[in-house]
Amino acid sequence: MRILGIETSCDETAACVIEATGTIASHFSFSVRGNALYSQIEKHRPYGGVFPNLAKREHAKNLVPILFSALKEAEMITPARAPTISKADLDEIKTILEREPELFSQLVPFFAQYEKPPIDAIAVTYGPGLEPALWVGVNFARTLSHAWSIPVVSVNHMEGHVVIAAIKESTLAPLTFPALALLISGGHTEIVLMKEWFSYEKIGQTRDDAVGEAFDKAARLLGLPYPGGPEISRLAKKAREQNILPPFPLPRPMEKSGDLDFSFSGLKTAVRRSVELLGTVTDAHKLGIAREFEDAVADVLVAKTRDAVLQTGARAVLLGGGVAANHYIGAKLQAMLAEEFEATALFVCPPIQATDNALMIALAGYFRALRNEFTDPTTMRANGNLKLS
Ligand code: KG4
Ligand code: ZN
């Protein structure tokens, strides 16, 4: 089956074409035929975070070129020999794209120029995320589905992060259940219990900021650019190499609360207090604070994962979401599991696949399509607050 994945939940505009065979239980394998991603990070940097309406505009501007690039790499761009869509279809498309005039003006010549690509299903993120951004992707998928008569699967973005964490080379790593998914991104921090594939029970979550959000806010307080996660991580590494210590200790919020919930807003406030107390923040201070911040986050994540494994007897931990790109956190979790839970394995994807991308959406979409879980494109809606369980 050939799946086109589309992702627009935050500040990455992405499309990916995969070819997959097998089921989640046996002989699954896939190859990436074409993959394209445009990161809007530079556009949002002046705002110190993602600005939803700018994200929406950028998605609308870039989706068609990104689709073209993914299809081209997949060798699925063929010039049209005859008109590919009728006048009635065009009217319908105009209605679907009523709120996306930019997409409409790019898609009309696109449909006129190229044949329908040999795709069997379109997988699109419909939540959670920034609703204006999600809607662009959803309406784009609805339009492609209508123009090309290809079925749509709507995908939960977080399921994408879960699935891609378990990918090893071009197949799925063998997981033993129960498994835990530790999902740490810019918008989410949660521990999810999976008794089998696609069954989710949220057993812990943040009460305020998500981990990635805390990284981004702490970075901002230190005068570091958005997104703060990679910046803090880079400085923390340097501090460890140069043996630079923090000017003040930072708290490990809720580390020993006894439940599986998190709270990161206090950590950000403690960084603010450190900055205020210092008055002048030197480069050495920044290195020390970044190191202590990363240590505090890692300590809390390790403690909660330990508690969750103890409570559930989990045999696998899937680490997913943008913050899973952080090597230090991954290594700390790995060390704790290896030392204390011999039978529990950690699964993490390469950093480039941890942050938002369309491959994870295509993969999750494939498994949903195998289960015949197609979505009616005429009633499909974006849902910014979509939950996994
Ligand atoms: O999953 P993602 O790409 O987007 C959301 O769905 O939120 O996650 C983005 C988040 C940002 O907050 C970013 O700062 C954080 O992931 N991040 C990192 C690292 N790379 C990205 N946080 C810590 N260390 C990193 N290396
Ligand atoms: Zn994400």
Side-chain angles (χ1 to χ4, degrees):
M1 195 188 297
R2 289 166 179 159
I3 313 273
L4 165 66
I6 297 164
E7 158 64 32
T8 67
S9 69
C10 192
D11 58 351
E12 323 285 351
T13 312
C16 178
V17 179
I18 61 166
E19 184 149 6
T21 58
T23 67
I24 198 108
S26 78
H27 298 97
F28 170 68
S29 80
F30 74 98
S31 61
V32 176
R33 296 281 310 266
N35 200 5
L37 183 144
Y38 167 71
S39 172
Q40 306 173 4
I41 281 175
E42 295 302 330
K43 302 271 172 183
H44 295 281
R45 201 161 265 159
Y47 302 95
V50 181
F51 185 35
N53 279 327
L54 174 62
K56 174 191 156 76
R57 278 202 303 279
E58 285 294 309
H59 288 311
K61 198 161 93 189
N62 296 300
L63 262 174
V64 175
I66 283 295
L67 172 71
F68 180 85
S69 159
L71 290 176
K72 177 113 183 125
E73 190 190 340
E75 296 178 350
M76 292 180 183
I77 287 286
T78 317
R81 277 157 297 166
T84 50
I85 48 173
S86 66
K87 168 86 176 66
D89 281 342
L90 211 57
D91 288 346
E92 177 64 27
I93 288 169
K94 192 161 195 173
T95 313
I96 299 172
L97 293 176
E98 212 175 337
R99 288 163 180 233
E100 331 288 352
E102 165 97 50
L103 265 187
F104 180 74
S105 62
Q106 289 191 44
L107 273 174
V108 172
F110 183 84
F111 289 139
Q113 261 174 292
Y114 307 111
E115 292 283 338
K116 167 188 172 175
I119 300 270
D120 303 298
I122 298 167
V124 63
T125 305
Y126 75 114
L130 304 170
E131 218 153 283
L134 288 163
W135 267 114
V136 187
V138 163
N139 284 332
F140 186 60
R142 290 172 66 196
T143 307
L144 299 183
S145 168
H146 184 84
W148 291 334
S149 301
I150 297 175
V152 175
V153 197
S154 51
V155 172
N156 183 314
H157 178 86
M158 301 315 287
E159 185 164 87
H161 279 306
V162 171
V163 169
I164 204 160
I167 294 293
K168 284 283 164 295
E169 278 140 32
S170 55
T171 185
L172 275 173
L175 282 196
T176 310
F177 290 94
L180 292 174
L182 175 59
L183 300 176
I184 46 177
S185 70
H188 290 83
T189 298
E190 45 197 55
I191 303 180
V192 178
L193 173 62
M194 295 167 64
K195 293 196 174 129
E196 56 182 333
W197 271 113
F198 307 116
S199 114
Y200 305 106
E201 184 192 339
K202 197 192 290 175
I203 56 174
Q205 63 188 312
T206 184
R207 295 186 180 173
D208 39 60
D209 293 351
V211 187
E213 190 180 354
F215 266 102
D216 297 338
K217 287 177 174 171
R220 203 169 168 178
L221 289 165
L222 296 177
L224 302 170
Y226 172 83
E231 291 294 322
I232 294 221
S233 186
R234 188 174 56 80
L235 295 195
K237 183 164 179 271
K238 214 162 152 187
R240 284 183 201 103
E241 284 162 4
Q242 299 176 9
N243 216 6
I244 293 173
L245 296 171
F248 304 103
L250 293 174
R252 270 64 177 158
M254 292 184 69
E255 190 184 15
K256 298 191 172 77
S257 62
D259 57 24
L260 299 175
D261 284 349
F262 301 88
S263 166
F264 289 104
S265 80
L267 190 52
K268 164 202 67 194
T269 309
V271 171
R272 175 176 295 130
R273 227 175 13 247
S274 295
V275 168
E276 283 165 4
L277 284 170
L278 288 167
T280 309
V281 183
T282 64
D283 285 349
H285 289 143
K286 284 187 191 178
L287 291 177
I289 294 172
R291 174 182 183 174
E292 175 71 352
F293 181 88
E294 195 173 55
D295 270 324
V297 169
D299 285 349
V300 173
L301 292 173
V302 165
K304 296 289 173 171
T305 306
R306 175 189 293 114
D307 291 351
V309 174
L310 279 172
Q311 280 181 31
T312 60
R315 300 283 306 279
V317 177
L318 298 165
L319 185 62
V323 185
N326 184 297
H327 284 293
Y328 187 73
I329 291 172
K332 286 275 175 180
L333 284 167
Q334 176 67 63
M336 182 275 289
L337 290 174
E339 198 168 305
E340 302 176 35
F341 303 95
E342 232 177 42
T344 306
L346 181 72
F347 297 86
V348 200
C349 57
I352 187 135
Q353 294 174 354
T355 48
D356 292 348
N357 62 81
L359 169 60
M360 68 185 201
I361 304 307
L363 288 166
Y366 172 67
F367 294 119
R368 290 283 168 189
L370 282 185
R371 292 153 63 105
N372 245 328
E373 293 180 18
F374 292 98
T375 311
D376 176 355
T378 59
T379 54
M380 180 168 56
R381 300 183 61 79
N383 179 355
N385 294 316
L386 185 68
K387 304 278 179 272
L388 248 189
S389 51

